[in-house]
Amino acid sequence: MSVVEEKISKKLDSSYLSLADFYDIPDKDIMGRAKEFKLFQEDMYSKRHLNYRRISLTGSGPVMKIIDAYTGKEREMIYLASNDYLNLTKHPKVIKAGKEALLKYGAGAGSVPLLGGTLDLHIELEKKVAKFKGCEAAILYTSGFGSNSGTLLSLLGEKDIAILDLYVHASIIDGCKNTNMKFFKHNDMNSLEKVLKRVKDKYRTKLVVVDGVYSMDGDIAHLDQIVEIAHAYGAYVMVDEAHATGVIGENGRGTPEYFHIEGKVDIVAGTFSKALGGVGGFIASNSELIELLHYYSRTYMFSTAPTPQVTGSLIAALDVIENEPSLREHLWKNIKHMRKGLLDLGFDIGNAETAIFPIIIGDDYKVKEMCRICHEAGIYVNPVLYPAVPKRLSRLRISIMAQHTKEQLDYTLDVLETAGKKLGII
């Protein structure tokens, strides 16, 4: 009997297993571990709980056509699992700029940026990002994960310390593996100050790192207070603007603009893969720090430069954000409508206040069942389970886009209400 079969027989249902059960399996090498995980996936599939890697035929949009893994047939679903908040992946100006760059420069940059891969197009995007974020300079990466992890790995060592919000992104935690780490309670300024007091005068560099908007909770960091407290204790501040760029702030410039503290945050990080509709990441800061990263950030130095098509599209995407505020206005109309609807139904959405809504259930099995019901009703949402979040906080995650219609959102709310009542959630 395999490890999985044994656990299933003891617990009667594989729904009570989680990814955590497969981090390490005693007496199983990597191939044996992979076989055990495959058995787990097959059992999940049999219960229609395996709602991952659904294959899209149309790309991001308010409605997506997919191949249903359970029927093998094409079907349309209301897509509520995208970070494409402003629907820029298919904006005509963004597509046109990408095509023009592709034809002019070719399919790839051809080399790493430090050696032979830097195009004039990259320089244009760097300058545009720096200005957009109110900083002196910026550096481009081929992924948002790489921008965070590579920057932190290159800046912080054994004599330094990173002070992290408990809910920061995994890329930030991975980037701090070569330095000291301490966590403070999520968005808790008293907890942050206590940590800063304990580490005062003990480390060469103290860097407080937070998300601008938290990816699993949709709430906003108290960045104005964080900057004030951190600087009072001689610490620098880095904010990851992945889910804030294009969404919050009067002009969509993100969390510093939202709190009117542009230019006061020491390091502004972000990704191009959310509201900007592309792929890649950036760091914006003072010119000296950016120059240091050019020569010491390994995820920059040893990765081929961003493709011309993506770079051209991103330049256009920033122009659209700056010149077409109606997209953000429509997004916020949808955010307010969905927030009110979920709260009126009695769902627990935590402190969500942006385009991301967690429906906190606290029971992995019920989350899987709710996701199954939504899938069968044509609603594409994602389950977020332990160990990605604590068991008591397992949830569905919903993302809103500017082009969702009121009818689509209302239908979604109706399906969620039916499922929530059936499972005893509301």
Side-chain angles (χ1 to χ4, degrees), residues 188-198 229 233:
D188 187 322
M189 298 303 100
N190 289 329
S191 177
L192 170 61
E193 189 163 14
K194 286 179 182 177
V195 173
L196 285 166
K197 283 181 180 178
R198 287 199 298 268
I229 294 168
Y233 285 89

Side-chain angles (χ1 to χ4, degrees), residues 352-370:
E353 51 188 325
T354 60
I356 302 162
F357 291 101
I359 296 180
I360 300 170
I361 297 170
D363 182 310
D364 277 11
Y365 179 77
K366 287 185 177 182
V367 172
K368 293 171 188 175
E369 275 293 286
M370 197 160 182

Side-chain angles (χ1 to χ4, degrees), residues 289-308:
L289 187 77
I290 297 303
E291 190 65 8
L292 183 73
L293 292 175
H294 285 155
Y295 292 87
Y296 289 91
S297 180
R298 292 165 71 88
T299 51
Y300 170 82
M301 294 165 60
F302 297 105
S303 295
T304 295
T307 65

Side-chain angles (χ1 to χ4, degrees), residues 69-81:
Y70 301 109
T71 65
K73 298 179 180 178
E74 294 182 14
R75 63 180 299 198
E76 287 190 341
M77 302 186 75
I78 298 174
Y79 187 34
L80 291 156

Side-chain angles (χ1 to χ4, degrees), residues 47-49 51 54 68 70-71 75-77 369-380 411 415 422:
K47 296 174 173 62
R48 299 201 169 194
H49 286 170
N51 289 308
R54 284 173 271 192
D68 192 313
Y70 301 109
T71 65
R75 63 180 299 198
E76 287 190 341
M77 302 186 75
E369 275 293 286
M370 197 160 182
C371 191
R372 178 188 64 78
I373 293 168
C374 286
H375 179 87
E376 291 172 356
I379 306 295
Y380 192 129
Y411 174 70
V415 171
K422 180 180 179 179

